[in-house]
């Protein structure tokens, strides 16, 4: 069997193959362009969503910072007032001096009470002597 190759047939088959390849290439290119456009739209949507979330987070952080700043200012004022009160409060040395004075006063009072009791006993003794001599 002899196969005869006709150049016209080869050119026709090459044209058909070229047309098929060009069609597949065009369909593939169109598909890739549509897929790229879809991915571009998704990326844009994602970026917008991320930007909105970032803006919301930034707003929340700003609100939180301003709230904490106000609270810190309030705490600083309260601490300053407490430090003023504490600076006027008695210290351990002050209390120890106070207790020493109290103990000294208690000792002096005990001495005075003893002396007054002694004087009272002496006066009773003198009155008793006067009463006994006056009766004799």
């Amino acid at each position: 069997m002899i196969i005869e190759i006709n150049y016209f047939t080869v050119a026709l088959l090459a044209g058909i193959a070229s047309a098929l390849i060009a069609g597949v290439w065009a369909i593939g290119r169109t598909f890739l362009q549509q897929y790229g456009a879809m991915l571009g739209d998704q990326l844009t949507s994602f970026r917008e969503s991320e930007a909105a979330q970032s803006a919301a987070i930034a707003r929340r952080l700003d609100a939180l910072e301003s709230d904490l700043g106000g609270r810190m200012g309030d705490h600083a004022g309260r601490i300053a007032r407490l430090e003023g009160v504490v600076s006027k409060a008695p210290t351990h040395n002050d209390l120890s001096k106070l207790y020493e004075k109290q103990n000294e006063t208690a000792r002096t009072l005990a001495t005075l009470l003893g002396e007054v009791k002694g004087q009272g006993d002496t006066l009773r003794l003198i009155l008793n002597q006067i009463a006994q001599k006056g009766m004799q």
Side-chain angles (χ1 to χ4, degrees):
M1 171 161 69
I2 297 177
I3 298 177
E4 193 176 316
I5 298 178
N6 186 352
Y7 290 111
F8 178 72
T9 306
V10 171
L12 185 66
L13 287 177
I16 292 173
S18 177
L20 283 174
I21 291 172
V24 170
W25 178 78
I27 291 172
R29 190 178 104 205
T30 304
F31 172 75
L32 287 177
Q33 284 175 344
Q34 289 177 352
Y35 186 70
M38 181 187 71
L39 286 180
D41 292 342
Q42 286 179 350
L43 181 61
T44 302
S45 171
F46 178 75
R47 285 181 178 166
E48 289 171 357
S49 171
E50 287 295 314
Q53 287 178 354
S54 295
I57 290 171
R59 284 191 305 272
R60 288 176 55 199
L61 284 176
D62 290 340
L64 183 63
E65 284 176 350
S66 65
D67 182 47
L68 285 178
R71 287 184 183 188
M72 292 298 286
D74 291 344
H75 286 306
R78 290 173 63 193
I79 288 171
R81 287 193 306 268
L82 286 174
E83 286 174 345
V85 169
V86 167
S87 68
K88 297 174 186 173
T91 63
H92 289 289
N93 290 335
D94 295 336
L95 291 176
S96 115
K97 289 177 185 176
L98 181 66
Y99 289 138
E100 287 175 10
K101 292 282 186 180
Q102 184 181 5
N103 289 337
E104 183 181 329
T105 304
R107 283 190 298 271
T108 304
L109 182 61
T111 303
L112 286 175
L113 286 174
E115 288 179 6
V116 169
K117 185 177 178 185
Q119 288 175 356
D121 290 344
T122 303
L123 284 175
R124 272 191 225 98
L125 183 63
I126 291 173
L127 284 174
N128 192 14
Q129 289 294 323
I130 291 173
Q132 281 182 4
K133 286 187 182 178
M135 293 200 164
Q136 290 179 358

